[in-house]
Amino acid sequence: LGPQRARQLKLIALMAFVIPLRWLLEHSSLGSRGATRVAVDVRCCGHPVSVHLARLFGARSVRLPWWPREQWPRWTRRGASTECCAMALLLLAAHGQLKPVSCKEVDWDAVRKDVVASLEDGFEHPGPMLVRLAWHSSGTYCRHSQTGGSDGATMRHAAEADWQANAGLWRAREHLEDIKEKHPDISYADLWVFAAGVAIEEMGGPAIAFMPGRQDKCSSFVPGWTSEYAPDGRLPSADMGTEEATASHIRTIFYRMGFDDQEIVALCGAHSLGMCHANVSGYHGPWTCEPTSFSAEYFRNLLQAEWSLKSRFRGKAWRGNLQYEDATGELTMLPSDLALLHDPDFRQWVEVYAADESRFFKDFATAFAKLMHLGFR
């Protein structure tokens, strides 16, 4: 047999155990007395059978009722081959030794209060960076390959955290650690998304629909920065050399996720929050006069201000990336921002949102909730 055919037969044999799995779990005579929680994510190995097991269990971890920790089979530990990990779980299920672990109910009102309290910590308002954290976590999604997205919180792993596009986001992840420690039953994936929605609302923006249930995944689920559908990276770049190329790049990124031009412009309205830091991105300055207040000012500034190339910074020649500034030199726009202004299909929505802030709030809330649910089923 060839290796591919042998692998197919092995998978068929493994799947044969899945059919009676639920019956075995429900009718096992062994209770959970003396059970030990195993710190193994049944989806961690990525094997399709293990993924199916995870769906049946409805939980990240499982209980092994009769093996002391030091005698756990080595197959269940991270780093084992995907086939061994799946086989170990199925073998335990076949013997009635695999028990689902029910997750505790999360008090989301209490979590919300803690997130709100955290927004008042520190010198710089953390709200905008929490929005960016959730945005970059979810914005990796590819509808073609069904990879990336908000489910997994894979930015916890260096393979994704070290992307240049994610520079500086360690501060946002670290900011939420105290809340995660206080509410350990929340996944990082849910916490990042929930905190972003709370931050937007607390900064004067619309309420963002939220549904919990995301799971944290291991590093094998980190999506590749580039792929067939993301030739220039998973996340949008601010400058691709020309306005036409930058507009095309924006569409490639967002169309891959399933957004249209109207949703793209609405989501770009998040630039009403926060600012660029030269030591992080090579760009400097806020897009609006009130970078911690959610509004349609970003769109009004795009249309009403005169934008010229930035040449000076704090009395010296500007040595950062190409960007634009208004007449005061206080506000900034990136090449990707001006692409929205000069592309006619994008510009029509810039004009709509500049004139109608309530329409912007409504469309942003819909598009952002959609973004936060990408990759989450």
Side-chain angles (χ1 to χ4, degrees):
L1 293 176
Q4 184 174 2
R5 180 59 176 166
R7 190 177 183 85
Q8 291 174 344
L9 290 175
K10 187 184 298 183
L11 178 57
I12 292 171
L14 288 172
M15 286 300 293
F17 285 98
V18 174
I19 297 173
L21 178 59
R22 186 176 292 278
W23 186 92
L24 286 166
L25 288 173
E26 292 177 352
H27 294 82
S28 172
S29 61
L30 291 175
S32 59
R33 183 175 54 187
T36 302
R37 187 177 178 118
V38 180
V40 172
D41 188 331
V42 293
R43 299 179 303 172
C44 180
C45 70
H47 194 282
V49 177
S50 293
V51 173
H52 187 69
L53 280 167
R55 289 172 180 166
L56 289 178
F57 297 147
R60 291 195 300 273
S61 300
V62 296
R63 290 187 187 274
L64 299 182
W66 49 276
W67 275 325
R69 184 181 183 91
E70 62 273 11
Q71 294 179 19
W72 289 348
R74 62 181 180 81
W75 324 316
T76 63
R77 298 170 187 165
R78 292 186 179 185
S81 72
T82 58
E83 289 82 3
C84 282
C85 188
M87 179 61 83
L89 292 167
L90 287 167
L91 184 62
L92 293 168
H95 287 282
Q97 301 299 320
L98 204 55
K99 301 291 180 182
V101 173
S102 59
C103 296
K104 294 181 180 179
E105 190 70 24
V106 174
D107 185 348
W108 289 104
D109 289 336
V111 179
R112 180 185 182 87
K113 290 179 181 178
D114 289 336
V115 172
V116 171
S118 79
L119 296 177
E120 301 175 359
D121 293 344
F123 174 74
E124 185 175 349
H125 195 295
M129 72 175 180
L130 296 182
V131 176
R132 180 170 170 248
L133 172 63
W135 206 117
H136 281 220
S137 175
S138 301
T140 60
Y141 181 69
C142 176
R143 61 190 174 93
H144 306 291
S145 62
Q146 297 290 296
T147 55
S150 65
D151 193 25
T154 50
M155 202 193 301
R156 294 173 297 117
H157 307 295
E160 184 174 331
D162 291 344
W163 292 352
Q164 179 57 41
N166 291 332
L169 284 176
W170 64 268
R171 294 182 178 87
R173 298 192 298 273
E174 187 175 90
H175 179 82
L176 294 173
E177 278 299 321
D178 287 344
I179 298 175
K180 179 68 169 75
E181 184 175 349
K182 186 175 180 180
H183 305 276
D185 291 300
I186 305 176
S187 66
Y188 282 101
D190 268 350
L191 178 57
W192 294 356
V193 170
F194 183 73
V198 172
I200 289 170
E201 193 170 356
E202 288 297 310
M203 290 185 286
I208 306 297
F210 171 75
M211 180 181 295
R214 294 164 188 80
Q215 308 287 344
D216 296 333
K217 299 179 182 178
C218 64
S219 59
S220 64
F221 284 86
V222 172
W225 170 246
T226 59
S227 70
E228 176 185 357
Y229 304 103
D232 298 308
R234 291 261 175 173
L235 298 170
S237 297
D239 186 6
M240 297 301 290
T242 67
E243 283 188 354
E244 294 79 7
T246 301
S248 177
H249 168 72
I250 292 171
R251 286 192 170 93
T252 297
I253 294 291
F254 283 90
Y255 286 3
R256 186 201 73 225
M257 291 187 273
F259 292 107
D260 59 25
D261 285 358
Q262 174 259 317
E263 293 170 313
I264 291 172
V265 177
L267 287 171
C268 287
H271 278 178
S272 64
L273 301 173
M275 63 181 295
C276 301
H277 299 81
N279 63 327
V280 173
S281 64
Y283 299 100
H284 175 78
W287 291 269
T288 68
C289 294
E290 296 183 86
T292 59
S293 294
F294 193 89
S295 70
E297 184 190 344
Y298 167 74
F299 298 112
R300 293 191 290 269
N301 288 347
L302 261 178
L303 291 170
Q304 297 170 9
E306 293 187 9
W307 300 100
S308 58
L309 285 174
K310 186 177 185 65
S311 59
R312 307 288 294 177
F313 179 59
R314 294 176 180 172
K316 298 181 180 179
W318 170 246
R319 300 187 182 278
N321 295 327
L322 184 147
Q323 67 177 82
Y324 298 86
E325 62 184 7
D326 70 343
T328 68
E330 297 296 322
L331 300 181
T332 190
M333 289 290 168
L334 311 183
S336 55
D337 298 309
L338 292 191
L340 302 183
L341 187 64
H342 298 144
D343 181 280
D345 293 323
F346 284 149
R347 184 186 176 107
Q348 65 173 318
W349 291 107
V350 172
E351 293 174 347
V352 167
Y353 295 144
D356 189 345
E357 187 168 79
S358 63
R359 172 69 185 275
F360 165 55
F361 274 41
K362 175 178 176 293
D363 288 353
F364 178 86
T366 301
F368 195 79
K370 177 179 174 179
L371 175 66
M372 295 297 101
H373 283 78
L374 294 180
F376 170 49
R377 300 173 184 84

